[in-house]
Amino acid sequence: MNKLPKVLPLALSVELRLQQPGLDIQAQFRVLPGRVCAIVGRSGAGKSALLKATAGLHPSLGGRVALGNQAIYDSTAGVNLPPQQRRLAWLDGHAHLFPHLSVQGNLEYGLARAPKPVNGPNFDAVTQWLDLRSLFKARPARLTPSQRFKVALGRALLSAPRAILLDDPLSGVAEHDQPPLLDLLAQVPTRSKLPVVLISPRMNEVIRMADDVIVLHEGRMTSGGPVPQILSDVSLSTFLEGVNAGSVIEGEVKRHDIQWLLSEIDVAGQRVTAPAVLHAVGRKVRLKIRARDISLHRDLLEGSSASNQLRGRITQIMLAGENGSYGAVGVELDHVRETGDFSIQPGVQIWALLTRRAIQEMDLAPGQPCVASFKAMSLAVSSWR
């Protein structure tokens, strides 16, 4: 028997203009297959409206949405496919399961929506991955929020979509139940090879899942790029995390200290100590450190409780106005070669938030070598898909 033809994943390109009451929204972005683009910003910035317009659930004033070279919305060419024909899977915190159908019925509904003849996801593989087989006969009203989420995710994947749109998908699940579901979500881009767009107010989800991020402020894109670059830009803290602003850096687990329940992570050739993580040696991880938790020194410290001391060089100093009480100091980390020599590793940068007095008394200036210190307990470590 001949196999059904497979359709290669395509990039999702979005360039839209739309309106909400009191807000004019304009944005453009492109997501490659197997990658995740997160849209972040304050509440009311237009994030959900932009995602709904991409799906055809909100009217647009103009622009274009395309999968590869195929437009599913193009105001100039008069193309405007209805949502059910765009083949963009939508998942939010409400699940939207059919109450009159069983779990199996909901899943089979998704499978029936997959176009033929095209090889879509395998029903048995998806239901086994999500551990749904024991729930087949249950109705949605009897499910827990976590179970409803998994059924909705399975139904979305079984419909063989061309891209996946996630609008705060874990908002309907209690916080203590979110971590295992986030682990499942983080596997989706790799398993499906589809472009994924994520909206979430929780930065741990963005750090865990996203490859790229765009910042939306009052309907306009203020910045965009790789996660470590954008989420480490303290100049965007007003739009993002405020007092929790800091740096996101990528590393690799190198060693576990069982005696002290600590893990060592390589960052630019230097070792960072963190509370024990469950990730295997060799696993890529992301580390989040608040700028206010970092101290700067001229030389390495002795007899300090700050177990992490990273060598680097000051790149810039941003003061909070002429009369502000603090400033942000950017430090580019030295890259340590296996020979023990130091060199600059462009792009690996952390930020320290210091008082203006400390900056002045230390006479800090761009180009100066320094040591950035912080406690192991100040780190948040996340696996990175």
Side-chain angles (χ1 to χ4, degrees):
M1 179 183 293
N2 293 330
K3 291 185 177 181
L4 297 175
K6 283 186 175 291
V7 177
L8 294 177
L10 300 171
L12 172 66
S13 301
V14 177
E15 182 179 356
L16 287 173
R17 181 185 174 193
L18 55 142
Q19 282 186 329
Q20 282 193 302
L23 187 65
D24 183 61
I25 304 169
Q26 294 186 47
Q28 62 180 31
F29 57 90
R30 186 169 184 264
V31 192
L32 296 176
R35 292 180 68 85
V36 179
C37 177
I39 306 175
V40 301
R42 291 176 177 174
S43 178
K47 305 183 297 295
S48 291
L50 176 61
L51 203 63
K52 289 179 179 178
T54 301
L57 301 173
H58 189 290
S60 300
L61 296 179
R64 189 173 190 268
V65 179
L67 289 160
N69 294 324
Q70 180 183 1
I72 55 178
Y73 171 76
D74 190 325
S75 57
T76 302
V79 177
N80 188 11
L81 297 184
Q84 65 273 19
Q85 293 183 19
R86 296 194 180 193
R87 296 189 53 203
L88 304 177
W90 177 274
L91 190 63
D92 58 29
H94 300 291
H96 302 292
L97 300 180
F98 296 114
H100 63 288
L101 296 179
S102 65
V103 166
Q104 184 173 359
N106 271 276
L107 295 170
E108 289 177 344
Y109 177 86
L111 189 65
R113 304 291 293 178
K116 305 294 187 294
V118 174
N119 264 329
N122 180 274
F123 186 87
D124 290 335
V126 170
T127 54
Q128 182 177 355
W129 171 55
L130 295 173
D131 191 24
L132 295 176
R133 298 194 67 82
S134 62
L135 302 174
F136 272 5
K137 295 182 180 180
R139 293 293 177 93
R142 296 180 55 192
L143 302 179
T144 67
S146 294
Q147 291 169 339
R148 285 198 293 271
F149 167 83
K150 291 198 290 185
V151 175
L153 176 60
R155 184 179 64 181
L157 294 176
L158 288 169
S159 68
R162 306 304 301 276
I164 301 174
L165 309 180
L166 304 174
D167 187 9
D168 198 3
L170 298 181
S171 60
V173 180
E175 185 176 351
H176 62 271
D177 290 329
Q178 290 178 5
L181 302 182
L182 180 56
D183 287 339
L184 288 174
L185 271 181
Q187 297 176 43
V188 168
T190 302
R191 293 176 67 96
S192 68
K193 307 299 183 185
L194 297 175
V196 178
V197 185
L198 168 70
I199 293 176
S200 173
R202 292 169 291 279
M203 281 300 157
N204 68 303
E205 295 179 13
V206 176
I207 293 171
R208 176 72 172 86
M209 285 193 62
D211 300 288
D212 304 291
V213 61
I214 62 173
V215 181
L216 204 63
H217 178 61
E218 295 182 351
R220 296 291 191 276
M221 289 177 56
T222 62
S223 190
V227 163
Q229 173 188 331
I230 302 303
L231 296 189
S232 298
D233 187 345
V234 295
S235 67
L236 298 172
S237 61
T238 301
F239 310 139
L240 300 176
E241 296 186 279
V243 297
N244 292 315
S247 304
V248 176
I249 52 180
E250 295 173 353
E252 180 180 313
V253 178
K254 287 296 185 182
R255 177 177 173 269
H256 297 297
D257 187 331
I258 304 301
Q259 179 182 359
W260 298 109
L261 296 180
L262 298 171
S263 298
E264 293 183 5
I265 300 168
D266 180 280
V267 175
Q270 303 188 59
R271 289 295 174 95
V272 170
T273 301
V277 299
L278 299 178
H279 312 305
V281 170
R283 180 68 183 268
K284 301 292 184 182
V285 293
R286 281 177 171 162
L287 297 82
K288 173 65 187 295
I289 174 71
R290 296 194 311 172
R292 60 178 52 226
D293 291 332
I294 294 179
S295 298
L296 297 185
H297 316 274
R298 293 293 187 191
D299 300 295
L300 293 173
L301 303 176
E302 293 185 3
S304 171
S305 63
S307 57
N308 294 305
Q309 300 186 46
L310 304 180
R311 294 180 180 272
R313 193 170 303 271
I314 296 174
T315 56
Q316 58 182 309
I317 299 175
M318 298 190 301
L319 299 177
E322 295 183 2
N323 301 312
S325 62
Y326 64 93
V329 181
V331 176
E332 195 168 64
L333 299 182
D334 291 338
H335 180 72
V336 182
R337 301 190 183 98
E338 293 183 359
T339 58
D341 297 331
F342 290 85
S343 65
I344 294 297
Q345 175 80 0
V348 182
Q349 180 165 275
I350 60 177
W351 287 89
L353 198 63
L354 308 178
T355 64
R356 287 171 59 93
R357 185 176 70 177
I359 294 172
Q360 183 172 336
E361 289 181 348
M362 294 182 68
D363 196 25
L364 299 181
Q368 293 176 348
C370 67
V371 173
S373 70
F374 50 93
K375 297 183 296 184
M377 294 303 297
S378 64
L379 278 173
V381 182
S382 170
S383 57
W384 176 40
R385 59 172 199 83

